[in-house]
Amino acid sequence: MSGLPWESEESQNYIRAHYIVTDAVEKELRDFFIQEWNKRYQASLGAWDDTNVSGSQLFNLEKKRRRPNKTMLLSKFQNGNTNEWDCTVLFDAILYSKSIGGSLSTKEKTEIDILRKLRNEITHNIPDKTLTNKDFQTMTTTVENALGALGLSINEVVRIKSLFASFIILPPEPAHEVVYRSDKIHEIRDDLEKLRSDNDSKLTYFYISGNPGSGKSQLARQVCEDIWKAVHAKEEAMFVITLNGKDLDSLLHSYERFCRRLNCNESALQSVSSSSKTKEEKIKDLISRISCRIKNWKKWWIIVDNVENLELISPLLPLKGDEVWKDGQVILTTQNTNAVPQDSISTKHISLIHGMNDQECRQLLVLLSRTEVDNPILDEVAEKLDRQPLAMAAAAVYMREVTNSCPDFSWRDYLRKLEKGKRGLTEQRLQQINSAAYSSTMSTAVLLAVEKCAENNTILEHAFNLFSLISFEPLPLDLVVKYVQQQEDLEAEDIIPTLKHCSLLVQVCNDGDIRLHRVVHEAVKTLFNKTQGANISETGIENKDRKNTQNISKIIFDAVKTMSYFSDREDKSKLIPHLKAFKKEMNNNSILPDQALYVISFDFEKTEICRIYDFFGDTLDYHKSDYKLSTEFYQLALKIRVEHFGQNHTHVATSYANLGWACITACDLDLANDYYQRRKHSNVALSYNNLGIVCESKGDLDRANDYYQRALDIQLDRIGPKHPYVALSYNNLGSVCQSKATLVM
């Protein structure tokens, strides 16, 4: 039966029905005959053994009975091998024989006669050899009922009944509730239908990419569930099946299951499995067997899930352009897009890296946490979790578990745990109850993905090293390229595609920037610290300071150099979060704690590194972002200048001026005055003038007058009474006097 080339669903129905009323029913009738013989004659004539010994016993009992085809029937009886008896012989031996039939119950005779009449109907009275779905269902139900009433097995009938019928095998479903991503589902369904229509139902591919936890598998599941509900209602012969594309082993096992689902010959499958061929060759053999059967469905979809190495897996999937695969579509989920083809008439790709929309985020968090719907902090939680479905599911399940025992625990408390780096702890519960759908937590899966990317691609390794020292927030792509170029002799066009195709790096729309999800950033930092720790172990304690410090100093040096390129750009504000994260990372550096930025200055030309640290301080100061941090950078520059140039050098005066102005920004005028008094340079007058302006704006006229007078005294001494700056100081003093006079009046 398995090799027949069915042309239509009605033909398939007939062939399955014919097999059921002949092969399947014959096997059960043989068992029934032997069972009834042994009941009656085992004690006297012996148990039936399918030899001519038993056959002769039956022959002698039935030889005097009159019956059409008596000679043929008696010869079969005498042979005694029931495996050679067809339905005609079996019905005669059971229903019409004196030895068995004469003592059957009325019910048993009725059920066996039903099977006999049905067999004759299927075999002799359907000339066009077709059955409608309704007639096929009626026939198989009748057979199942009759066999069941006789105490016989219906397993083979059920198997054949479902053979080449529609079926759906999807990726594992989570144990928790899921949100129906209607926007994406409708978008993908429209795209799939357009691909099918534009290609005249030839094979097409749809790619879904995204980082671990972005919901690729579950979205593919939802899309196919949606399709199934819509198309199955039309009673079309169709199937959906999922192949695990993680690696060759997983794919091979998936294809074996696929073959069995299509009723491929089991001995042939065992032969493929036990052969000495490579995994790729075995997979191709299985594909060949599948392709012989695929035409029996009007529509089909194959989900190839969790593909890690698309270049390896792609040649082992159905090939576009091959007519054998007509009427089908492949939906493939993958992390990286380096081997995903560009969109075309037969190919479409979408990325889920940006996560769920606002409504879906709130819905998922509320659904799983059982918290109030209108809690405004839910949007902040979603933002902190980068709108990633798995991250939000883990957070919501954790909240539900904790609040059951600690009702006062809030989403704000959860966010504090995130800030403390305890994400992994909050993910464990979801993984425990969903191990079938999620083999690991999101943090673990992302760390594994980061490790593999870094191991297999030096460009990504360098990019991860950079982000391990700075923030996860957007960074101009061209600066990341410059960082990589400090490590590798590569052109930008050789670097950018790799960065853009990695799903762990998020492309910021329209800005030409890239950033990381927070969970990816945590994994990148973990990997960096893990790698440096391994380097320490390998080099030994005695070499730790020399070798490992050199390695880390180089990475820090290049990071500082990269951030310094912002000095010539108009988007300097993007540098601020990176400076904050960078300084924090340097303070916590396990090998160069609290001194990393000073140590790497030895690798720079002193004027250059001081200029860079001044620029960092200026940027923070200008944007009023972090007074304390800006002064730390200024102080670093001051320390280097004093040590290298001496206390009285003009560069040192510049550092004091920077520190003084930072103090003015922070309204710490006393400390600003202290820094300015340390300067032995004529420009200090401008600084006192600035202090005066601040005091005057705050209404402190006496103090403003004092600073303006100090500026005037220095200017008269250093640049003479006719300089424009002297006139400015006189003007400022006059302004203070006028303000005082106004107050008196």
Side-chain angles (χ1 to χ4, degrees):
M1 182 190 71
S2 59
L4 293 172
W6 295 302
E7 298 296 333
S8 68
E9 194 168 5
E10 290 76 14
S11 296
Q12 294 176 32
N13 289 339
Y14 176 81
I15 294 172
R16 285 183 289 162
H18 189 274
Y19 178 87
I20 286 172
V21 299
T22 54
D23 295 56
V25 169
E26 279 177 10
K27 178 183 180 304
E28 298 308 317
L29 290 176
R30 289 187 191 104
D31 292 343
F32 185 81
F33 170 80
I34 294 172
Q35 166 192 298
E36 296 302 312
W37 173 272
N38 289 340
K39 279 183 186 178
R40 294 164 174 77
Y41 304 111
Q42 183 168 352
S44 58
L45 300 178
W48 189 271
D49 61 1
D50 272 349
T51 69
N52 57 11
V53 174
S54 295
S56 295
Q57 302 285 0
L58 176 63
F59 175 84
N60 291 329
L61 292 173
E62 299 295 325
K63 65 182 179 180
K64 294 183 179 180
R65 178 173 62 94
R66 291 184 178 182
R67 181 81 175 107
N69 300 318
K70 180 178 178 179
T71 302
M72 181 276 291
L73 292 171
L74 286 177
S75 67
K76 291 288 186 181
F77 290 168
Q78 192 169 28
N79 176 270
N81 186 357
T82 58
N83 292 309
E84 296 179 359
W85 297 4
D86 62 13
C87 281
T88 300
V89 178
L90 285 164
F91 283 127
D92 189 88
I94 297 171
L95 194 58
Y96 300 112
S97 66
K98 294 179 180 179
S99 53
I100 301 294
S103 57
L104 287 176
S105 69
T106 302
K107 180 176 179 56
E108 288 173 327
K109 287 183 178 181
T110 300
E111 299 299 338
I112 291 174
D113 198 47
I114 288 173
L115 293 173
R116 181 187 67 82
K117 291 177 179 177
L118 190 56
R119 178 257 184 185
N120 289 340
E121 177 70 20
I122 296 295
T123 305
H124 304 299
N125 297 330
I126 305 180
D128 63 352
K129 299 187 183 307
T130 61
L131 277 178
T132 65
N133 286 334
K134 182 179 179 180
D135 289 342
F136 177 73
Q137 292 298 329
T138 300
M139 184 278 298
T140 53
T141 300
T142 301
V143 173
E144 288 176 23
N145 290 339
L147 292 177
L150 293 167
L152 301 175
S153 172
I154 65 170
N155 291 343
E156 182 67 0
V157 178
V158 172
R159 186 182 75 84
I160 299 301
K161 183 178 179 179
S162 62
L163 188 66
F164 290 105
S166 298
F167 64 90
I168 180 169
I169 300 173
L170 297 169
E173 185 176 15
H176 62 73
E177 302 96 323
V178 296
V179 170
Y180 183 78
R181 302 180 68 175
S182 56
D183 289 348
K184 283 294 181 187
I185 290 171
H186 294 154
E187 176 188 343
I188 293 173
R189 283 201 58 188
D190 288 345
D191 288 338
L192 287 171
E193 191 55 42
K194 188 174 189 309
L195 286 171
R196 185 184 292 275
S197 174
D198 290 349
N199 287 272
D200 192 26
S201 295
K202 293 178 182 177
L203 177 66
T204 55
Y205 269 75
F206 192 93
Y207 296 87
I208 303 176
S209 69
N211 53 281
S214 60
K216 304 180 294 296
S217 299
Q218 292 311 312
L219 182 59
R221 178 187 182 89
Q222 289 184 347
V223 167
C224 288
E225 281 180 328
D226 213 54
I227 291 172
W228 183 263
K229 292 173 184 176
V231 181
H232 193 56
K234 302 174 184 177
E235 296 186 346
E236 292 186 291
M238 58 178 280
F239 71 80
V240 179
I241 195 162
T242 300
L243 306 179
N244 188 341
K246 180 180 179 181
D247 50 39
L248 290 180
D249 282 327
S250 301
L251 189 62
L252 177 59
H253 294 322
S254 293
Y255 270 124
E256 288 173 347
R257 290 192 295 271
F258 192 7
C259 284
R260 290 188 174 93
R261 193 64 186 77
L262 300 184
N263 198 39
C264 292
N265 184 275
E266 184 62 31
S267 61
L269 296 182
Q270 292 295 335
S271 176
V272 171
S273 178
S274 60
S275 72
S276 59
K277 293 181 178 180
T278 65
K279 293 171 186 175
E280 289 93 334
E281 291 171 331
K282 289 180 180 179
I283 289 173
K284 289 177 181 178
D285 284 346
L286 297 177
I287 291 175
S288 177
R289 296 180 184 281
I290 291 169
S291 66
C292 295
R293 297 170 177 276
I294 210 80
K295 61 186 176 183
N296 297 301
W297 282 269
K298 295 179 181 178
K299 287 183 178 180
W300 54 265
W301 292 263
I302 296 176
I303 299 173
V304 187
D305 201 21
N306 296 320
V307 176
E308 294 183 359
N309 187 339
L310 188 53
E311 292 176 315
L312 174 67
I313 298 299
S314 288
L316 304 175
L317 300 177
L319 298 178
K320 287 190 299 182
D322 189 337
E323 282 294 320
V324 167
W325 301 101
K326 184 176 172 64
D327 300 319
Q329 294 184 296
V330 175
I331 300 174
L332 187 147
T333 72
T334 184
Q335 288 183 23
N336 294 323
T337 61
N338 55 308
V340 173
Q342 291 185 342
D343 287 357
S344 66
I345 191 173
S346 60
T347 302
K348 179 71 176 179
H349 166 233
I350 67 165
S351 172
L352 303 183
I353 199 166
H354 295 291
M356 289 178 152
N357 63 37
D358 292 343
Q359 180 180 352
E360 292 167 348
C361 289
R362 287 190 293 271
Q363 186 180 352
L364 180 61
L365 290 171
V366 170
L367 182 67
L368 297 187
S369 68
R370 307 287 194 268
T371 54
E372 60 270 27
V373 176
D374 297 326
N375 193 338
I377 200 176
L378 292 179
D379 290 338
E380 183 180 348
V381 172
E383 186 67 25
K384 294 289 186 183
L385 296 173
D386 297 297
R387 307 174 184 278
Q388 298 299 291
L390 184 55
M392 290 189 292
V397 168
Y398 177 79
M399 277 294 296
R400 185 177 67 203
E401 294 285 323
V402 172
T403 52
N404 283 339
S405 303
C406 306
D408 293 335
F409 190 85
S410 67
W411 277 114
R412 184 63 63 191
D413 295 320
Y414 168 79
L415 290 176
R416 291 192 190 99
K417 294 185 82 70
L418 280 190
E419 292 299 323
K420 293 178 181 178
K422 295 184 178 181
R423 179 196 293 266
L425 178 66
T426 68
E427 294 177 327
Q428 292 175 1
R429 181 56 181 158
L430 178 68
Q431 198 278 324
Q432 290 169 355
I433 64 176
N434 284 279
S435 56
Y438 311 125
S439 59
S440 61
T441 65
M442 183 168 183
S443 293
T444 302
V446 168
L447 178 58
L448 180 61
V450 168
E451 287 176 335
K452 286 188 175 181
C453 287
E455 179 182 348
N456 296 327
N457 192 295
T458 56
I459 292 175
L460 294 178
E461 179 186 12
H462 296 317
F464 292 156
N465 280 343
L466 173 60
F467 273 104
S468 73
L469 300 178
I470 59 177
S471 173
F472 59 86
E473 297 191 48
L475 186 69
L477 178 60
D478 60 302
L479 295 191
V480 182
V481 169
K482 286 186 177 182
Y483 178 86
V484 174
Q485 287 176 324
Q486 291 175 97
Q487 328 295 322
E488 304 284 344
D489 184 17
L490 294 171
E491 300 296 330
E493 60 269 21
D494 299 319
I495 299 172
I496 292 175
T498 298
L499 298 176
K500 285 190 171 183
H501 287 146
C502 178
S503 67
L504 299 172
L505 301 170
V506 184
Q507 312 298 311
V508 180
C509 298
N510 303 322
D511 287 345
D513 296 348
I514 60 174
R515 67 176 180 88
L516 301 183
H517 289 319
R518 289 167 178 81
V519 65
V520 176
H521 190 237
E522 291 166 9
V524 163
K525 293 202 295 183
T526 298
L527 178 62
F528 179 79
N529 293 332
K530 180 179 175 182
T531 303
Q532 301 313 314
N535 289 340
I536 292 173
S537 299
E538 292 168 4
T539 56
I541 297 298
E542 69 279 2
N543 293 324
K544 168 186 170 182
D545 290 338
R546 178 169 56 84
K547 290 186 177 180
N548 212 51
T549 299
Q550 289 175 351
N551 179 43
I552 293 179
S553 293
K554 174 69 166 68
I555 295 174
I556 298 173
F557 175 94
D558 292 333
V560 169
K561 192 78 174 176
T562 299
M563 289 190 291
S564 74
Y565 295 136
F566 269 103
S567 62
D568 298 324
R569 303 171 64 98
E570 294 183 358
D571 54 357
K572 293 181 178 63
S573 60
K574 293 178 181 177
L575 174 61
I576 293 172
H578 298 296
L579 284 177
K580 292 180 177 180
F582 179 68
K583 189 60 169 66
K584 181 178 179 181
E585 196 67 30
M586 293 303 96
N587 291 344
N588 297 332
N589 190 283
S590 60
I591 299 175
L592 301 170
D594 300 319
Q595 59 175 338
L597 291 179
Y598 177 72
V599 170
I600 66 158
S601 69
F602 300 142
D603 298 322
F604 282 90
E605 194 275 320
K606 295 300 179 287
T607 302
E608 180 186 18
I609 189 59
C610 290
R611 178 188 58 77
I612 290 173
Y613 287 161
D614 281 345
F615 163 63
F616 291 169
D618 291 345
T619 302
L620 293 162
D621 192 37
Y622 177 79
H623 292 281
K624 297 181 174 56
S625 176
D626 192 322
Y627 156 70
K628 182 177 182 297
L629 184 55
S630 68
T631 58
E632 287 181 13
F633 281 115
Y634 287 144
Q635 286 167 345
L636 267 169
L638 173 62
K639 179 179 180 180
I640 296 168
R641 282 169 170 145
V642 168
E643 290 182 356
H644 188 71
F645 300 110
Q647 182 69 44
N648 296 324
H649 197 276
T650 56
H651 290 338
V652 174
T654 299
S655 283
Y656 282 129
N658 289 335
L659 284 163
W661 181 250
C663 292
I664 290 176
T665 303
C667 294
D668 190 344
L669 303 185
D670 291 333
L671 185 56
N673 182 54
D674 180 58
Y675 280 125
Y676 286 144
Q677 286 186 350
R678 299 184 195 186
R679 297 180 56 196
K680 301 183 183 298
H681 192 267
S682 60
N683 285 343
V684 75
L686 292 177
S687 300
Y688 280 129
N689 190 59
N690 291 333
L691 285 167
I693 293 172
V694 173
C695 291
E696 185 176 3
S697 67
K698 295 174 69 175
D700 190 347
L701 300 180
D702 289 337
R703 200 170 187 183
N705 187 80
D706 179 55
Y707 283 131
Y708 288 147
Q709 188 61 56
R710 292 188 195 188
L712 177 61
D713 291 343
I714 294 171
Q715 289 165 343
L716 289 173
D717 180 61
R718 297 296 180 93
I719 58 179
K722 296 183 180 181
H723 197 280
Y725 285 166
V726 174
L728 177 63
S729 292
Y730 280 126
N731 183 69
N732 290 337
L733 285 166
S735 174
V736 170
C737 291
Q738 184 178 5
S739 296
K740 284 184 175 183
T742 302
L743 289 175
V744 172
M745 293 174 61

